[in-house]
Amino acid sequence: MNEINLKLNQEDLIIKAAELIFNSKYLVVLTGAGISNDSGIPDFRSSKDGLCTKITPEESKNIFKEPKIFWKIVKLVGPNLIKAKPNLSHRILANWQKDKKLKTVITQNIDGLHQEAGSNWVLELHGNAKEFSCIVCHSRFDAKKIIKSHKENEEHLPPSCPSCGGLLILNIVMFGQNIPELIWMESVSEAQKSDVFIVIGSSLVVYPANQLPIYAKKYGAKIIIINDSKTEFDEFSDIVLTGNSSIILKKIDKFIQKLNNKSDF
Ligand code: ZN
């Protein structure tokens, strides 16, 4: 068990986390649904009201044959996410990336909010629901624009690729589908390179994303977990901060700024 956690209260732990982050040489973050809660996005894989409970495995197999399944998925995921805006957590991480403090954001989310907040290097494990991708040439397109120009109708065929005419599908990884290999390899490599690895808003139950902190730890990284409830990995991490990610990150960020000012002298 993490010794630091046993002795210190949450405010002390926040200072410890800020010091670890400030002194890190290769900081990598993994984010999950919890980071987008403040933006009003439901967890699309949650058992309560996630998308995956509304699409049966049978339907996901028939997405290419049945236009109405295609449009059902688009209606469930697309419009909700397109309205959502990044929150303070996304903005703080984007600032850390701009300041070259944070190397890589790996996310289990499909909402594109890290990029919208200004993050320039994001590995999306489960895709991006704001995009369509072509199953033939793999080009990606803004979903909103394509939906606008296409007659959205349950009986109407899904839109086709403007480049090659191939079928377009939402660029998301459904349950039972594999994470694109290149994205996965790159995520593992980033976890292994990290010296501090932060998990934000993920309870680390979804495989294989939940293996990333294990890779990081095996290669010597310190692990910080910020989540509103317990995670599978709390026992193995160095610092566990329980609560709302925006509130916790704001406090950490404030302390990092203090450390920055001190080191300027
Ligand atoms: Zn194409």
Side-chain angles (χ1 to χ4, degrees):
M1 176 67 189
N2 35 78
E3 278 175 42
I4 306 177
N5 272 355
L6 289 176
K7 292 176 199 158
L8 301 175
N9 66 32
Q10 176 109 335
E11 295 305 308
D12 293 331
L13 287 171
I14 283 171
I15 294 172
K16 287 278 165 207
E19 285 169 350
L20 272 183
I21 293 165
F22 180 75
N23 292 313
S24 66
K25 297 280 176 281
Y26 207 105
L27 177 67
V28 173
V29 168
L30 168 69
T31 67
I35 198 171
S36 294
N37 277 349
D38 289 351
S39 299
I41 294 177
D43 178 357
F44 93 119
R45 282 164 189 259
S46 86
S47 52
K48 237 196 323 176
D49 52 6
L51 166 69
C52 290
T53 59
K54 292 169 187 152
I55 309 280
T56 65
E58 201 49 40
E59 283 179 324
S60 36
K61 265 187 235 154
N62 289 325
I63 183 167
F64 298 116
K65 297 180 205 150
E66 294 264 358
K68 67 175 183 221
I69 298 171
F70 174 89
W71 289 116
K72 181 179 170 184
I73 293 174
V74 169
K75 276 173 191 154
L76 281 171
V77 187
N80 272 348
L81 294 173
I82 286 161
K83 275 186 228 146
K85 293 276 168 262
N87 63 53
L88 185 60
S89 296
H90 298 107
R91 290 197 298 273
I92 289 172
L93 295 183
N95 283 338
W96 289 357
Q97 235 177 0
K98 271 182 214 142
D99 294 345
K100 311 255 186 276
K101 177 41 68 192
L102 171 60
K103 301 281 180 205
T104 307
V105 175
I106 305 170
T107 188
Q108 297 174 272
N109 298 338
I110 55 169
D111 52 38
L113 293 182
H114 285 297
Q115 293 91 325
E116 217 171 289
S119 276
N120 48 16
W121 180 225
V122 183
L123 293 168
E124 294 173 309
L125 297 174
H126 298 148
N128 186 329
K130 287 179 180 167
E131 295 171 346
F132 282 129
S133 65
C134 170
I135 61 163
V136 179
C137 72
H138 304 292
S139 300
R140 299 194 297 186
F141 303 93
D142 183 285
K144 213 172 169 181
K145 278 189 197 152
I146 299 274
I147 291 172
K148 219 174 181 182
S149 64
H150 190 85
K151 198 176 168 225
E152 195 182 332
N153 180 316
E154 285 197 354
E155 303 307 321
H156 207 283
L157 287 174
S160 52
C161 171
S163 312
C164 78
L167 204 58
L168 291 182
I169 52 167
L170 265 188
N171 179 24
I172 56 174
V173 176
M174 300 292 290
F175 253 151
Q177 288 180 329
N178 290 330
I179 292 171
E181 201 178 340
L182 271 178
I183 303 255
W184 177 246
M185 298 301 282
E186 202 146 8
S187 301
V188 170
S189 160
E190 289 300 289
Q192 290 172 338
K193 277 192 250 172
S194 69
D195 62 347
V196 176
F197 189 93
I198 317 178
V199 180
I200 304 171
S202 172
S203 37
L204 296 171
V205 287
V206 176
Y207 180 88
N210 63 358
Q211 300 301 297
L212 292 171
I214 298 172
Y215 284 117
K217 182 148 181 106
K218 267 192 190 159
Y219 279 70
K222 296 279 185 207
I223 311 289
I224 301 171
I225 292 187
I226 302 171
N227 198 40
D228 58 6
S229 57
K230 280 189 191 307
T231 79
E232 300 284 318
F233 207 72
D234 287 359
E235 292 281 313
F236 307 98
S237 56
D238 296 276
I239 297 178
V240 177
L241 296 163
T242 308
N244 174 285
S245 66
S246 292
I247 293 172
I248 292 170
L249 284 174
K250 192 180 171 187
K251 288 179 180 174
I252 291 176
D253 189 53
K254 214 172 157 188
F255 201 78
I256 290 176
Q257 280 171 26
K258 271 189 202 166
L259 292 170
N260 267 329
N261 292 338
K262 263 191 212 166
S263 67
D264 285 343
F265 288 109

